[in-house]
Amino acid sequence: MHALIETFQSIVGRRHVLVGDRQTRRFRKGYRFGEGSVLAAVRPGSLIEQWRVIQACVAHDVIVIVQAANTGLTGGSTPDGEGYDRPIVIINTMRMDRFDLLDEGRQVLCLPGATLDKLEKRLRDIGREPHSVIGSSCIGASVTGGVCNNSGGSLIRRGPAYTQLALFAQVDSAGKLHLVNHLGIELGGDAEEILQRLDKADYGPADVLGSDNQWASDRGYHEHVRDVDASTPARFNADPRRHYEASGSAGKIAVFALRLDTFEADKDVTVFYIGSNDPSELATIRRDILTDFEHLPIAGEYMHRGAYELSQDYGKDLFLFVKYFGTDHVPAAFGAKSWLDGLTESIGLGGHLTDRLLQAVMRWLPEHLPQRLNDYRDRYEHHLLLKMGGGGVDEARRYLSSRFPTANGNYLECRPAEGQDAFLNRFAVGGSVVRFRDVHPDHVEDIVALDIALPRNTTDWFETLPAALDSQFVRKMYCGHFFCHVMHQEYLVQKGGDLEAIEEQLLHLLDQRGAEYPAEHNVGHLYHAKPALRDFYRALDPTNSFNPGIGKTSKKKDWAR
């Protein structure tokens, strides 16, 4: 394989071909879950370089994992342990981060490393937004990753990230590599011509075809989510209604570019903060708003008191970093942290020294959350962050003032800074769970993380566990996109706990409730892909050359067992 490494170096340059456990650590180890050995991690700087690297991989019959920001929560963009029958090459696309605005910004063309964060900032200047914004996605997460993983985000009207307009490479059943241009942009017929023109943005408005018959977003979701009497979830990963080529592909093809709709930004936004000790109150609010309101909310985020406290204590550094330094430098900070963790691990100090140091520093800093929100933390177990815009603000104000206060709950209309802090604290929850695990290794075995979608007609939505199962957890975290009934439930298992047995019990309880899982983070290497999803993967990748093992499927060539 030395010849293949030299080929990579001739294509992308020596400094962008990483080998060895230390150099490849941040690419082959998942943000939260999963890791494995790789032959190399390659970082192409152009689409034509990416194509030539993939050509070399196919010629040498190695596994290809195309990875963007590696912010996934289920290990779906890294190897997973042993059992592969071919060497693995990770192709990281983050150097190719350009995006082009189309049709005065009503659509956008994204290269594979373009991030939601940077796209959000660019679109803000013209009064528009991407599918997801901060608070509904990981900082640094790529647009392509969202589409490939059916990510949903927190924005109620927009549904899962979805497009039928993509440029991608796939390997057919005979082992031949093809470039497929379904972008709806005329770029020529030869693969290298297409990619070189796109690298140079060598196309104009006349080359961009209309997309009336090809969707670049989930156009029907705003009506779909309103059907509160439906016995199926609003969105979930295995839903075949939103599987199409790149959309939901989970790395079974190599995406080069996507074309997506953008959305008009809401004006006059107000956040209402609702607290209750009765989960049925929140269920009633959800049904009333989805069925009776003219204006759907922008977002409706649920947090349990335990999630609030976990984020308040263990997500404080991320909260403060984003609030005072913005999001631009967060990916670089995570990269530096990964490098330091790799260094301390290599010299015997463990891989989480930075977490312990950061957590110690945070304890000396003053309280960062608004007092009124902390008062609600103390008074109420269940919290709902309701973001409304335009005419929906008065609609929500009238409705909430007619309902509250009650014996179990109340609401407050946030000042602008309070609303921003509330959503930022919600955003920091995911990282806080990982931080808790990493600074308490003597007490926590690991995390069982579930990403579930409840049926739209569910009213008894909050989980109650059997006492024997509940006693096995150090902490539990519940939060989610409440109006879509997508819940993130994470369990910090006591030291020595049987993770596999516990997860099996939890999933059995969810099956009884009619839940689908995962909801929006893709199956990764944590969940079994259901039959229809496995068939979709096999149709995209008949030789199992790209990201094998995803969804606990075969890791071997031609899907051998």
Side-chain angles (χ1 to χ4, degrees), residues 62-83:
V62 301
I63 289 169
V64 175
I65 298 178
V66 181
Q67 173 195 90
N70 193 18
T71 57
L73 303 183
T74 59
S77 56
T78 62
D80 177 46
E82 306 298 328

Side-chain angles (χ1 to χ4, degrees), residues 109-337:
L109 181 142
C110 295
L111 298 194
T115 63
L116 283 164
D117 181 52
K118 290 183 179 179
L119 179 58
E120 179 188 352
K121 288 181 172 65
R122 176 65 182 88
L123 290 174
R124 189 182 298 154
D125 295 338
I126 59 172
R128 299 190 72 81
E129 291 179 339
H131 167 266
S132 296
V133 298
I134 183 174
S136 62
S137 59
C138 293
I139 290 178
S142 69
V143 176
T144 297
V147 171
C148 292
N149 292 322
N150 287 133
S151 297
S154 69
L155 304 181
I156 295 167
R157 310 165 197 162
R158 300 178 190 176
Y162 179 77
T163 186
Q164 297 174 346
L165 301 166
L167 175 68
F168 58 93
Q170 64 183 149
V171 176
D172 66 19
S173 58
K176 185 177 180 181
L177 182 68
H178 299 270
L179 185 72
V180 180
N181 182 10
H182 289 168
L183 277 176
I185 300 177
E186 294 291 349
L187 294 164
D190 174 75
E192 296 224 348
E193 179 189 2
I194 290 170
L195 297 171
Q196 287 172 337
R197 285 187 61 184
L198 199 53
D199 274 328
K200 299 173 184 176
D202 180 18
Y203 65 93
D207 298 311
V208 180
L209 307 180
S211 59
D212 289 344
N213 297 322
Q214 296 293 108
W215 287 16
S217 62
D218 187 348
R219 297 177 184 175
Y221 187 76
H222 64 289
E223 294 295 336
H224 183 71
V225 74
R226 283 186 182 270
D227 187 359
V228 296
D229 293 317
S231 60
T232 57
R235 53 181 169 92
F236 57 100
N237 190 262
D239 187 355
R241 66 187 284 273
R242 289 298 171 259
H243 292 159
Y244 189 93
E245 295 179 344
S247 296
S249 60
K252 299 304 290 181
I253 55 178
V255 176
F256 288 79
L258 297 171
R259 182 175 162 190
L260 294 149
D261 289 333
T262 68
F263 304 87
E264 186 175 356
D266 288 279
K267 300 176 178 63
D268 304 319
V269 174
T270 297
V271 174
F272 298 91
Y273 200 98
I274 303 161
S276 179
N277 289 316
D278 181 3
S280 67
E281 279 195 326
L282 300 190
T284 299
I285 291 170
R286 173 183 173 271
R287 289 181 68 88
D288 287 349
I289 289 178
L290 288 178
T291 55
D292 298 336
F293 273 36
E294 177 185 354
H295 304 88
L296 278 177
I298 299 168
E301 290 296 286
Y302 169 74
M303 290 183 75
H304 186 265
R305 177 189 284 148
Y308 185 109
E309 293 173 338
L310 201 64
S311 186
Q312 181 180 24
D313 293 340
Y314 292 87
K316 187 174 183 178
D317 55 322
L318 177 59
F319 179 103
L320 294 174
F321 192 100
V322 173
K323 181 170 183 175
Y324 293 109
F325 298 101
T327 56
D328 289 343
H329 303 296
V330 172
F334 277 132
K337 179 181 179 300

Side-chain angles (χ1 to χ4, degrees), residues 351-386:
H352 303 298
L353 181 61
T354 56
D355 292 288
R356 294 195 292 273
L357 291 173
L358 284 168
Q359 198 59 31
V361 170
M362 290 304 108
R363 293 193 185 100
W364 290 97
L365 297 182
E367 175 57 43
H368 59 294
L369 294 179
Q371 186 58 49
R372 291 206 302 170
L373 301 188
N374 286 336
D375 288 343
Y376 265 50
R377 173 205 62 197
D378 296 336
R379 292 166 59 188
Y380 302 115
E381 182 179 1
H382 305 283
H383 300 218
L384 178 61
L385 290 63
L386 182 64

Side-chain angles (χ1 to χ4, degrees), residues 512-527:
Q512 293 178 332
R513 299 172 66 194
E516 290 279 356
Y517 46 84
E520 63 175 2
H521 289 158
N522 205 282
V523 289
H525 293 291
L526 285 178
Y527 298 92

Side-chain angles (χ1 to χ4, degrees), residues 232-234 452-458 460-462 484-487 489 510 513-516:
T232 57
I452 71 166
L454 297 172
R456 283 167 283 173
N457 63 359
T458 300
D460 185 15
W461 59 273
F462 187 71
C484 302
H485 258 184
V486 168
M487 303 298 294
Q489 304 182 173
L510 289 171
R513 299 172 66 194
E516 290 279 356

